[in-house]
Amino acid sequence: MRSDETSRGIVSNGYSASPTHHAPRKGVVSVNGHSPHLNGSTHPLKNGTSRRKGPRSPLYRGHNREELTRILIQGLKDMGYEDSADTLSSESGYELESSEVATFRAAILSGKWSQAERILSGYYQDDGGGGSAEQGIVLAEHANKDQMLFWIRKQKFLELLVRRDLLSALKVLREELTPLHRDTYQLHSLSGLLMCTQAELQTQLHWPEDPEDARQRLLEDLTSSIAPSVMIRDHRLAELLDHVKRAQINGCLYHNTSEPPSLYSDHECSPQAFPSSTYMILEQHSGEVYCVAFSPDGTKLATAGEDKVCIIYDSKRFQVLHKLHKHNAAITHIAWSPDSKRIVTAAAEPNAYVWDASLGKLLMTIAHQTGEHRPVTSAAWTPDSEKLITGCHDRDAKMCLWDLKSQDPKTPLHTWKGEFRVSDLAVTPDGHRLICNDMDETLIIYDLDSAREEFRLKLSSKITCITASHDSRTIIVNIAEGEVHMFDLEQRRLIRKFKAENQGGTIIRNCFGGAAENFVLSGSKDGRIYIWHKENSAVIAKLQEHGKGSKNEQCVTSVSWNPMNSGMFASGGDDRKVRIWTNTLPDESSTEFDPRIRHPDLGRLSAIRTTASNL
């Protein structure tokens, strides 16, 4: 029966957890020519040869034959084709892993920590009492064996903690982890976990329900420190194919589909499928538009601005559903709950308001009750849609966490105080991180579970907007000097820059766009919408249709991509208008065509064409 790659009987690289399954076949060549003491098996033939058809070239169309064959063997096992993998291994003479490496893998996944350490250090004897490798498993050039031992013993410590075997865990901490002298700060953090309850441990560690998942993560870390010629990284064939598809997507400027490209042929999307035409112009606002935001389910659009009103439209015909009146100042921020049922609005005043988006009913007033009475500047929801965080210019309560289900929802669950004033914030969709910025040039990243600061990033200019990606790995920020910067939260560094003409100190709200977030969008003070390819930073389009406002400026202040319609986004500007951009034009004969909403010239050419000369 064909096995499934998620089956408990199959572990990393498609192997059975039994070490005896991995004993090298008689007559199979060693891994990259290593001797038996270096994790390979012996064979009189050289690598790249066949025992059946005579010598073959060590290269296949310029690629290393041994590397390719071993990766194919791993891939076949991943897909459940065990017999085919065995046949390929037998015919080619290449074995995926030595028995020692396979036993190491099985020891990690089964929690046999002492055995894993002996193999790593070179003191392992097989079941028959035979010899052992003098140097242990061959490591990558950058690897540190003590660090790998620390990872193994840390896993052992954490599993004992989760099982509430505190005495054994304390012994591991004192007698096994501390003597390695690796990371004093982490040792202190681990010792602090001894005082945590079971629930607190699960929250702080993000511990999976199945301990095998945690061990699999440990194995991935260890594999990165082992020589790839000895232990191929898990699912390497799939990883290489992902690289191929990603390269095709990156090379396609207008790729806007969640469907991955086929491996059968090269991929290219037509510019005509890109949303670059104004589909509708919404003119309900009497003042400058500062915010536009589609709901996460894509069914509604919210807009707000200088006229102190938040308007909610349906996103099919863009008819007005509700007008939310409560603020006494211009609305500068709106945020949808992840379940699309509620929306929070903030203005240049100390109160924020939570609304029922379906009924247009006020649910809750949020007040930062401190002496400064500074305006609430921003808000973001947690993934459960039951809690939200508000940012403020008040140093005594720069951010507050609110629980809408609490018996006292008007009292914050937690308050971050001091040091600086928050002008914008975002919560990653996975709920693990809170990102905010001060009034100057610094990003601060918190662990949301513990409410503790993780790290800071200093920028070269004032920050005006923060947006997190759906995968929670990256954020984009607008800065005053006229750029959008992308940061990797895991690597804690700037990875890309997108250059616009002008942003100045104006708050301009950016967004990711496209079916797979392949694009980055931002408005600008020059009246243009800039759209970049996320991976290569190329400018795809500069769309300029917003006009000047009452102050003789034509800033595009906010953009939002419909998360459920890859061919639609919205923009708002100083001209008091909201524009809906699509890759189609409205059909006057359609029952959905509403003559009360302004439509542009139906014969207008794509803005992609008209702006091509400016790219």
Side-chain angles (χ1 to χ4, degrees):
M1 181 177 69
R2 183 172 299 172
S3 61
D4 186 271
E5 68 181 25
T6 60
S7 168
R8 290 298 172 201
I10 299 296
V11 295
S12 179
N13 280 334
Y15 275 114
S16 162
S18 170
T20 58
H21 175 82
H22 302 286
R25 296 178 185 84
K26 183 178 180 180
V28 176
V29 300
S30 65
V31 177
N32 276 349
H34 288 305
S35 71
H37 297 298
L38 294 179
N39 307 308
S41 56
T42 59
H43 189 271
L45 299 180
K46 297 180 179 180
N47 290 341
T49 64
S50 168
R51 291 169 296 167
R52 296 185 178 181
K53 297 183 179 181
R56 290 192 178 101
S57 167
L59 297 179
Y60 168 72
R61 302 182 71 86
H63 303 286
N64 182 289
R65 182 180 293 272
E66 178 184 351
E67 291 181 356
L68 180 58
T69 305
R70 292 178 64 221
I71 289 171
L72 287 174
I73 293 170
Q74 183 198 61
L76 288 170
K77 287 181 176 289
D78 278 348
M79 292 185 285
Y81 302 131
E82 294 284 341
D83 292 342
S84 297
D86 292 342
T87 299
L88 177 57
S89 180
S90 176
E91 183 176 358
S92 67
Y94 298 127
E95 185 78 351
L96 181 56
E97 290 178 347
S98 70
S99 60
E100 185 178 39
V101 171
T103 305
F104 177 76
R105 177 191 301 281
I108 293 296
L109 294 176
S110 59
K112 297 178 180 178
W113 311 121
S114 297
Q115 184 186 47
E117 287 195 25
R118 289 197 302 272
I119 296 173
L120 182 62
S121 301
Y123 301 113
Y124 169 72
Q125 288 186 327
D126 59 30
D127 294 337
S132 63
E134 297 176 357
Q135 298 180 355
I137 292 178
V138 180
L139 303 184
E141 292 183 3
H142 66 277
N144 184 295
K145 187 176 294 185
D146 284 345
Q147 179 64 62
M148 298 173 72
L149 290 173
F150 186 90
W151 290 338
I152 293 173
R153 294 173 184 180
K154 176 184 173 183
Q155 180 73 21
K156 179 180 178 182
F157 169 81
L158 293 176
E159 289 193 15
L160 290 169
L161 270 186
V162 173
R163 294 202 302 264
R164 308 310 294 162
D165 189 349
L166 300 183
L167 290 178
S168 297
L170 181 60
K171 184 177 180 181
V172 170
L173 182 65
R174 289 177 173 175
E175 299 180 9
E176 299 184 34
L177 281 167
T178 301
L180 292 174
H181 305 292
R182 292 304 303 168
D183 189 333
T184 303
Y185 175 79
Q186 191 170 173
L187 283 174
H188 289 163
S189 299
L190 293 175
S191 64
L193 294 175
L194 289 165
M195 307 302 294
C196 293
T197 65
Q198 183 79 6
E200 290 172 337
L201 276 177
Q202 296 286 347
T203 299
Q204 292 195 33
L205 297 175
H206 308 305
W207 196 258
E209 294 184 4
D210 191 335
E212 287 190 20
D213 293 336
R215 293 172 183 175
Q216 184 64 50
R217 291 202 301 246
L218 169 63
L219 184 62
E220 291 172 2
D221 290 336
L222 293 169
T223 302
S224 67
S225 294
I226 296 174
S229 61
V230 172
M231 193 172 188
I232 302 173
R233 190 160 62 228
D234 289 351
H235 314 301
R236 182 58 178 160
L237 179 61
E239 189 178 67
L240 291 172
L241 295 178
D242 285 340
H243 291 333
V244 171
K245 291 184 176 181
R246 175 54 57 187
Q248 292 207 43
I249 291 173
N250 292 348
C252 176
L253 288 181
Y254 306 105
H255 185 80
N256 191 22
T257 173
S258 58
E259 294 296 322
S262 170
L263 292 171
Y264 284 136
S265 60
D266 293 337
H267 171 78
E268 185 177 3
C269 291
S270 169
Q272 305 307 314
F274 193 81
S276 55
S277 301
T278 298
Y279 178 76
M280 289 184 180
I281 303 172
L282 310 179
E283 298 181 294
Q284 295 286 339
H285 285 286
S286 60
E288 296 175 356
V289 178
Y290 296 152
C291 311
V292 297
F294 281 103
S295 60
D297 64 6
T299 62
K300 298 178 180 67
L301 172 70
T303 64
E306 186 181 31
D307 58 6
K308 311 172 189 177
V309 179
C310 177
I311 302 175
I312 299 179
Y313 304 83
D314 78 89
S315 61
K316 190 173 184 180
R317 301 184 64 185
F318 291 96
Q319 293 180 327
V320 175
L321 300 177
H322 305 290
K323 290 188 176 183
L324 310 180
H325 297 269
K326 185 65 177 179
H327 287 285
N328 296 313
I331 299 175
T332 56
H333 189 85
I334 55 180
W336 285 95
S337 62
D339 62 9
S340 300
K341 294 180 179 179
R342 286 171 284 195
I343 190 170
V344 60
T345 59
E349 57 188 19
N351 294 335
Y353 299 106
V354 180
W355 307 82
D356 184 306
S358 296
L359 302 176
K361 177 183 177 181
L362 180 63
L363 297 176
M364 178 181 173
T365 300
I366 294 176
H368 280 246
Q369 298 174 355
T370 64
E372 292 192 23
H373 298 288
R374 298 282 185 172
V376 178
T377 58
S378 49
W381 296 81
T382 57
D384 60 6
S385 296
E386 298 298 340
K387 301 180 186 68
L388 63 89
I389 300 167
T390 52
C392 185
H393 282 174
D394 192 332
R395 293 180 187 273
D396 293 331
K398 63 186 180 186
M399 290 186 296
C400 294
L401 173 65
W402 312 85
D403 186 351
L404 274 62
K405 280 192 170 181
S406 170
Q407 293 182 350
D408 185 13
K410 294 188 177 181
T411 299
L413 290 178
H414 180 77
T415 299
W416 290 265
K417 297 182 178 181
E419 294 188 29
F420 59 87
R421 296 183 170 121
V422 170
S423 60
D424 199 21
L425 60 84
V427 171
T428 54
D430 62 11
H432 293 333
R433 286 189 171 105
L434 166 65
I435 305 101
C436 68
N437 69 291
D438 62 15
M439 294 293 290
D440 297 317
E441 303 166 355
T442 306
L443 277 170
I444 303 96
I445 293 85
Y446 293 89
D447 178 281
L448 189 52
D449 293 325
S450 65
R452 296 175 181 173
E453 181 179 321
E454 281 191 14
F455 60 97
R456 296 187 176 207
L457 295 168
K458 187 69 174 178
L459 276 66
S460 59
S461 183
K462 180 180 177 181
I463 303 163
T464 64
C465 175
I466 306 169
T467 301
S469 62
H470 287 317
D471 64 7
S472 301
R473 285 191 56 89
T474 58
I475 57 172
I476 49 175
V477 300
N478 279 21
I479 61 174
E481 65 183 14
E483 293 181 342
V484 180
H485 289 184
M486 179 183 290
F487 293 89
D488 188 303
L489 295 177
E490 300 300 324
Q491 299 178 19
R492 302 186 178 187
R493 66 181 183 90
L494 174 68
I495 58 173
R496 210 153 291 126
K497 291 183 179 182
F498 309 91
K499 296 185 180 296
E501 293 295 329
N502 187 3
Q503 292 190 29
T506 304
I507 296 177
I508 296 176
R509 303 202 175 276
N510 56 36
C511 73
F512 288 98
E517 291 195 334
N518 296 325
F519 312 116
V520 171
L521 285 74
S522 178
S524 178
K525 289 188 71 175
D526 61 8
R528 293 174 174 174
I529 301 166
Y530 287 81
I531 305 176
W532 299 272
H533 192 280
K534 185 180 72 172
E535 297 299 329
N536 60 31
S537 305
V539 178
I540 296 173
K542 299 178 185 179
L543 309 178
Q544 186 168 14
E545 291 195 11
H546 281 276
K548 293 183 179 180
S550 58
K551 300 173 185 176
N552 204 34
E553 295 182 352
Q554 59 181 120
C555 181
V556 179
T557 56
S558 183
V559 288
S560 177
W561 203 287
N562 189 328
M564 296 300 161
N565 184 344
S566 62
M568 176 183 289
F569 70 91
S571 62
D574 286 353
D575 59 358
R576 306 180 182 180
K577 296 178 177 61
V578 175
R579 286 182 175 268
I580 309 300
W581 302 82
T582 68
N583 53 7
T584 60
L585 292 172
D587 181 3
E588 292 186 74
S589 63
S590 170
T591 57
E592 297 181 7
F593 185 84
D594 190 345
R596 294 172 296 176
I597 300 176
R598 276 193 58 197
H599 296 270
D601 179 6
L602 299 184
R604 189 179 67 84
L605 292 176
S606 166
I608 275 274
R609 301 176 190 172
T610 60
T611 60
S613 61
N614 296 323
L615 300 184

